[in-house]
Amino acid sequence: MEQKKVLLVDGMALLFRGYFATAVHGNYMYNKEGIPTNGVHGFTKHMLKAVESFTPTHVVCCWDLGSRTFRTELYPAYKGNRSAPEEQMVPQFAMAREITDGFGIPSIDAVNYEADDCLGTLACAYAEEAEVYILTGDQDMLQLANQKIQIAIMKKGQGNYQLYNEDTVKELKGCHPDQLIDIKALMGDTSDNYPGVKGIGEKTALKLIQEYQTIEGVLDNLAHLPAGQRRKIEAELEMLHLSRTLAAIRCDAPVSLPLEQAAWQADEKTAGDTLTRLGLNISIEQLMMGSR
């Protein structure tokens, strides 16, 4: 029996990567309707290259629905430092979903949750019967890595990935994957705009978790910490616990999809017609050559 292999795609990560690869040079690649296509052009190439690289039997793409989630309800400043998408980007969100539809790839999202939570929920569910690869550019996803779930972090250029499983995270990050959550709780995350414990940086956070294993272990041993560290943590206990909640990818989001409905069996004509209708100048024959 063929080993099932699932590729879970972080749709927003691919779309934004495709967009900024050319937008930084002012190249938006308009179609005949005058709609920019640079983001979806890059998105499509990244997605198909990953299918070629990982040869999955099943593919699913997960998406954010907007900026409001349970995390912004808990902490309104969460990701509040991020600017709104550029106007050239806006119409490409819907186009990207049309492309996944054209390739027969299910799109998954959930109100009040991020794409990360959808990816985490599906990864944990599918890992019971298949190898799982999560394609993303987000290092936060490393907390999900284990022997059945590998995280493929996109690097510069198409088809260039850093693969992480449980052992790789331990080797390169110095901790178990799920300890990354507690490290983020201590140090915060400037990208997602939550502070953690003020004055505790990445090196100190890693050292504390390596020594005491968990946030609870750190708190149980406050008396053994240097006075400065102890005061900082005691002054920020509420934010420490909140930051851990914000950092943790949920694996219980209200999403599900029977694995058989995600089988990779793209039809070249349907996919090609979709790309043509959207005005993308991409050769479907070339894209599909190594992606069956």
Side-chain angles (χ1 to χ4, degrees):
M1 180 182 293
E2 182 182 19
Q3 171 65 46
K4 295 177 182 177
K5 188 188 297 184
V6 184
L7 177 66
L8 297 177
V9 178
D10 183 343
M12 289 300 186
L14 268 66
L15 184 58
F16 275 96
R17 179 172 288 254
Y19 177 80
F20 285 111
T22 55
V24 69
H25 304 296
N27 181 9
Y28 298 103
M29 304 170 65
Y30 296 91
N31 64 17
K32 63 181 181 181
E33 280 78 33
I35 301 172
T37 61
N38 62 316
V40 290
H41 191 279
F43 167 84
T44 305
K45 287 194 169 184
H46 278 297
M47 181 178 67
L48 270 295
K49 188 64 179 178
V51 171
E52 179 183 353
S53 298
F54 297 109
T55 61
T57 57
H58 301 76
V59 184
V60 182
C61 191
C62 294
W63 301 94
D64 292 316
L65 281 179
S67 59
R68 294 180 60 84
T69 67
F70 76 90
R71 292 181 178 87
T72 56
E73 293 176 2
L74 291 171
Y75 187 61
Y78 179 76
K79 292 189 177 180
N81 55 338
R82 301 190 182 187
S83 57
E86 297 179 7
E87 61 177 320
Q88 292 91 344
M89 181 74 174
V90 174
Q92 299 189 63
F93 293 124
M95 293 172 71
R97 285 189 177 238
E98 290 186 62
I99 289 169
T100 55
D101 288 346
F103 281 93
I105 298 173
S107 284
I108 299 294
D109 54 48
V111 174
N112 218 32
Y113 291 84
E114 297 181 47
D116 287 1
D117 303 308
C118 299
L119 290 164
T121 300
L122 293 178
C124 291
Y126 293 151
E128 297 179 6
E129 56 179 313
E131 294 178 42
V132 178
Y133 293 82
I134 300 177
L135 178 65
T136 183
D138 187 355
Q139 296 267 336
D140 288 345
M141 300 300 295
L142 298 184
Q143 64 185 258
L144 298 173
N146 58 38
Q147 299 308 324
K148 293 295 295 285
I149 300 173
Q150 295 194 63
I151 314 301
I153 299 292
M154 294 183 292
K155 303 179 72 175
K156 187 175 182 180
Q158 293 176 6
N160 190 14
Y161 316 103
Q162 173 71 59
L163 275 177
Y164 292 86
N165 60 17
E166 182 175 330
D167 294 334
T168 314
V169 171
K170 289 178 181 177
E171 177 185 351
L172 298 179
K173 300 296 183 180
C175 64
H176 191 274
D178 60 15
Q179 290 178 313
L180 291 168
I181 302 169
D182 286 3
I183 291 170
K184 277 289 186 72
L186 285 162
M187 63 178 278
D189 188 327
T190 55
S191 175
D192 287 341
N193 202 43
Y194 58 88
V197 176
K198 293 177 183 177
I200 299 291
E202 182 176 5
K203 290 182 179 180
T204 300
L206 174 60
K207 184 178 179 181
L208 287 170
I209 295 303
Q210 285 176 332
E211 184 167 359
Y212 299 111
Q213 304 302 308
T214 64
I215 292 297
E216 287 76 17
V218 172
L219 297 179
D220 287 343
N221 288 277
L222 282 177
H224 300 118
L225 300 185
Q229 289 182 11
R230 183 173 65 250
R231 285 194 297 268
K232 290 172 184 176
I233 294 172
E234 288 175 339
E236 300 284 355
L237 285 176
E238 183 176 353
M239 182 53 70
L240 173 63
H241 291 298
L242 176 57
S243 293
R244 181 160 61 169
T245 299
L246 297 175
I249 293 172
R250 295 280 293 271
C251 291
D252 60 350
V255 296
S256 63
L257 181 76
L259 192 54
E260 60 268 19
Q261 293 183 21
W264 171 251
Q265 47 192 7
D267 178 74
E268 290 188 27
K269 184 178 186 308
T270 302
D273 288 348
T274 300
L275 297 178
T276 299
R277 176 172 53 79
L278 294 174
L280 295 182
N281 184 25
I282 305 177
S283 167
I284 187 64
E285 291 82 7
Q286 183 180 6
L287 280 174
M288 297 293 290
M289 187 180 301
S291 305
R292 295 185 176 87

